[in-house]
Amino acid sequence: MELPEVEVMRRDLEKEVVGKKVRDVEVRPHRNAMRVIRRHSRRKEFADRLSGRKFTKIDRKGKYLLLYLDGGDVLVVHFGMSGQLLRGTKRQTLPQHTHVVIDFQQGGDLRFIDPRTFGEMFVTAVDQLGKIRELDHIAIDPLEDTFTWQEFSGELARRATKLKPLLMDQKFVSGVGNIYSDEVLFAAGLRYDRMSDSLSSQEVRRLYRAMREVLQDAVRFRGTTLDDDAYVDVFGKSGDFAAELKVYGRKGLACRRCRTPIDTVKISGRTSYFCPQCQS
DNA sequence: GTTTAACCCTGCACGC
DNA sequence: TGCGTGCAGGGTTAAA
């Protein structure tokens, strides 16, 4: 799950849980539930910090969700690759790999489901957030107004590294992962292995514009739901951006712009999809 | 400073 | 049918 999916989740939760009070919290008994709340040593400690609290605000920092509570704590959620937050009711049986259930006083609950347990949840005091290294080093959000192309240009030139891994580096820009980095590079007409300090100012502008447009469009389409890993929103609904993807997952298929077959390459441990004709 | 690989985990596709 | 193998992915970390 990358920026657009987390942002859709944030907007949904803003409507769905802000103002609601937590009645109680269940951390499920299996071992992987403890993996999900790995920063806490016991289930009860995690549950007690949420119980009786009311959600006041939902923020996003890169791919992290921050659910603020009255009383000065914040629930931090990271989805890894297979994490989900789903609204439910007592009557609905818990899906497999449900690790945490947050029950609301007003009725209904919120479940955290994560088969691969790369995701996590933890509660911390708001004034301790700065001490969480993973959060602290997160770079500027490409959808923020403060993300200007001039600044972006300077950052690109300061590094000397291949574009694909750089776009996915959360210390460079936040929220971009494997899917959207490929889509952004295609939209910008740039190859995955172009060096960041080799771009002309026209290319920098193309990359900047592509980043914003692709991410904004993906939010508008409510995220990417692929066949194999099924991202769904808080209500269990799929996103529609998969049909809009230009290169990701389209190996061997004709490029939508020039009909050349889409190719893949392994770079920094990730599969990258690209059009050999349109990107240079 | 950059780059690579390993690690965590489960589900799924594949070949035999 | 059933097993083993390899791959997928986000992010950190250690090593090259």
Side-chain angles (χ1 to χ4, degrees):
Chain A
M1 194 183 295
E2 308 179 31
L3 184 153
E5 292 78 30
V6 182
E7 177 60 21
V8 168
M9 199 66 89
R10 189 195 69 75
R11 294 178 186 186
D12 285 353
L13 289 172
E14 197 139 66
K15 288 186 219 132
E16 236 358 74
V17 312
V18 165
K20 289 200 172 142
K21 191 171 177 179
V22 177
R23 182 162 62 191
D24 65 303
V25 174
E26 184 195 4
V27 179
R28 307 277 297 147
H30 49 258
R31 188 171 45 93
N32 274 350
M34 280 311 292
R35 242 190 78 71
V36 164
I37 58 158
R38 57 184 84 103
R39 295 184 201 229
H40 296 265
S41 51
R42 12 177 44 107
R43 290 176 167 77
K44 186 172 172 358
E45 190 251 328
F46 173 81
D48 284 351
R49 289 186 77 164
L50 295 172
S51 295
R53 294 298 178 189
K54 196 185 274 184
F55 287 105
T56 57
K57 177 175 71 158
I58 320 287
D59 268 356
R60 179 179 59 75
K61 193 164 185 191
K63 301 176 191 174
Y64 285 83
L65 266 189
L66 306 174
L67 295 84
Y68 288 84
L69 302 149
D70 60 358
D73 275 350
V74 56
L75 170 64
V76 181
V77 180
H78 188 264
F79 295 96
M81 77 157 287
S82 58
Q84 294 181 346
L85 273 177
L86 272 185
R87 283 285 277 140
T89 62
K90 258 215 166 57
R91 297 227 293 277
Q92 292 168 317
T93 51
L94 296 176
Q96 223 195 340
H97 306 294
T98 301
H99 305 297
V100 175
V101 182
I102 298 172
D103 212 18
F104 296 113
Q105 208 121 66
Q106 287 86 347
D109 58 41
L110 190 65
R111 297 115 185 246
F112 185 77
I113 300 140
D114 188 4
R116 297 181 193 175
T117 64
F118 281 17
E120 67 163 327
M121 291 181 118
F122 61 92
V123 187
T124 186
V126 174
D127 57 23
Q128 297 294 303
L129 273 178
K131 293 198 181 144
I132 313 287
R133 190 151 19 103
E134 293 89 330
L135 285 169
D136 201 43
H137 73 211
I138 286 178
I140 189 164
D141 193 294
L143 293 187
E144 285 284 336
D145 294 337
T146 48
F147 178 70
T148 62
W149 92 269
Q150 289 92 341
E151 198 188 327
F152 183 54
S153 179
E155 288 294 314
L156 282 167
R158 195 162 42 236
R159 310 285 199 108
T161 180
K162 296 186 171 100
L163 285 181
K164 163 84 176 177
L166 185 59
L167 291 182
M168 290 199 292
D169 184 351
Q170 303 304 298
K171 298 193 267 312
F172 180 69
V173 283
S174 60
V176 179
N178 203 32
I179 296 175
Y180 294 108
S181 56
D182 281 356
E183 293 299 311
V184 167
L185 287 171
F186 176 82
L190 295 168
R191 267 172 66 111
Y192 59 89
D193 58 352
R194 276 294 296 277
M195 296 302 282
S196 61
D197 57 353
S198 78
L199 303 185
S200 69
S201 71
Q202 191 189 27
E203 288 173 325
V204 171
R205 276 175 189 277
R206 270 181 5 220
L207 184 56
Y208 174 82
R209 197 176 321 136
M211 177 122 63
R212 289 214 164 206
E213 279 179 9
V214 167
L215 295 173
Q216 272 161 6
D217 283 354
V219 172
R220 201 151 44 80
F221 281 88
R222 297 188 60 79
T224 300
T225 301
L226 298 168
D227 307 332
D228 47 344
D229 95 323
Y231 156 77
V232 288
D233 65 19
V234 172
F235 310 102
K237 282 192 61 180
S238 297
D240 298 321
F241 198 69
E244 310 296 318
L245 295 174
K246 304 290 197 297
V247 284
Y248 188 87
R250 304 192 72 245
K251 184 182 171 76
L253 299 174
C255 170
R256 301 200 156 157
R257 192 184 288 157
C258 76
R259 316 311 295 164
T260 301
I262 299 301
D263 204 354
T264 62
V265 68
K266 198 90 160 174
I267 177 168
S268 58
R270 297 286 179 269
T271 303
S272 183
Y273 296 81
F274 68 104
C275 173
Q277 184 68 37
C278 295
Q279 297 173 251
S280 58

